[in-house]
Amino acid sequence: MAEQRRAERLDQPAESRKIKLPRFDPEAFGRWSEGIARGMGTANFIVYMTVVIAAWFGWNTLAPAHLRFDPYTFTFLTLVLSLQASYAAPLILLAQNRQADRDRVSLEEDRRRATAQKADTEYLAREIAALRIAMGEVATRDFLRSELARLAEELDEAQQRRHRLERRQQEKSGQRPEPLDEPRDEPDAG
């Protein structure tokens, strides 16, 4: 009697009276359903199923009457095929849902990569534009050649002025002037 009172106590939670069903791993069940759906979607499955049904028909039509297990209307075959279809449809749908989930994840990843690639492309385009603008301020080869030629002419002129100045100073001091190291005009070979 004491144990009956203990079970009826209101200060303790009651134990659930539900039927405890076995737990299963949804991921393993999903992989299993995909395997079945993949197997049912092959030519081998159709060939084997056709062979089984033909053997069923043949046995239940040609065998002696006392050995036939499914007479002419083939009620048992209909039941088996209905049972197979009733399980195949949800398994195929489950496999399709899992594939749709994978496709959704893949699509999101593709979008993320495309967004990153677009951002990288825009960055590179801005960098190229900045380089082009900077190149507009950089001296070109022709500009450098003309500047070097102008500088060489200025140096030649400065050297000639220095020589003239030295000659004048030598003439004033009474010394004999030294010849200029000016380039001589050579006749063209052409």
Side-chain angles (χ1 to χ4, degrees):
M1 184 154 170
E3 287 190 26
Q4 190 176 24
R5 280 188 176 179
R6 182 177 278 172
E8 296 175 8
R9 292 185 58 173
L10 297 176
D11 64 336
Q12 293 179 349
E15 292 183 21
S16 69
R17 294 183 178 123
K18 295 179 185 176
I19 299 174
K20 293 190 178 184
L21 297 175
R23 296 198 180 262
F24 60 92
D25 180 18
E27 190 64 27
F29 189 76
R31 285 192 301 270
W32 179 72
S33 69
E34 285 177 342
I36 289 175
R38 205 172 288 120
M40 292 180 88
T42 62
N44 285 340
F45 177 79
I46 294 172
V47 169
Y48 294 146
M49 195 67 176
T50 303
V51 168
V52 167
I53 291 173
W56 191 295
F57 281 163
W59 182 265
N60 288 299
T61 305
L62 303 174
H66 68 281
L67 293 177
R68 295 180 189 167
F69 57 91
D70 193 17
Y72 167 64
T73 58
F74 305 116
T75 308
F76 187 52
L77 176 63
T78 305
L79 179 65
V80 168
L81 292 176
S82 298
L83 185 66
Q84 176 196 2
S86 69
Y87 274 96
L91 289 174
I92 290 170
L93 287 174
L94 179 63
Q96 287 175 342
N97 289 340
R98 286 174 51 88
Q99 183 61 44
D101 291 342
R102 281 194 298 272
D103 291 345
R104 186 172 29 262
V105 168
S106 176
L107 182 63
E108 288 172 5
E109 180 65 19
D110 288 346
R111 282 185 184 151
R112 187 192 62 77
R113 285 183 183 166
T115 302
Q117 188 175 17
K118 183 178 178 184
D120 290 346
T121 303
E122 289 174 354
Y123 170 76
L124 289 174
R126 285 191 303 271
E127 288 297 312
I128 289 172
L131 286 173
R132 284 184 177 167
I133 290 170
M135 286 300 293
E137 299 170 3
V138 173
T140 63
R141 181 176 27 175
D142 293 336
F143 175 75
L144 286 176
R145 282 183 181 163
S146 66
E147 287 298 308
L148 287 174
R150 186 183 60 76
L151 186 60
E153 288 174 7
E154 286 180 11
L155 288 173
D156 286 344
E157 289 174 8
Q159 184 180 12
Q160 287 175 359
R161 280 191 302 243
R162 193 171 353 115
H163 280 291
R164 280 189 227 133
L165 182 63
E166 288 175 4
R167 282 177 76 188
R168 284 187 199 145
Q169 287 176 355
Q170 287 175 357
E171 287 175 0
K172 283 184 184 178
S173 66
Q175 295 177 357
R176 188 171 152 224
E178 294 180 14
L180 289 175
D181 291 337
E182 294 181 16
R184 291 181 279 171
D185 291 332
E186 295 181 12
D188 289 336

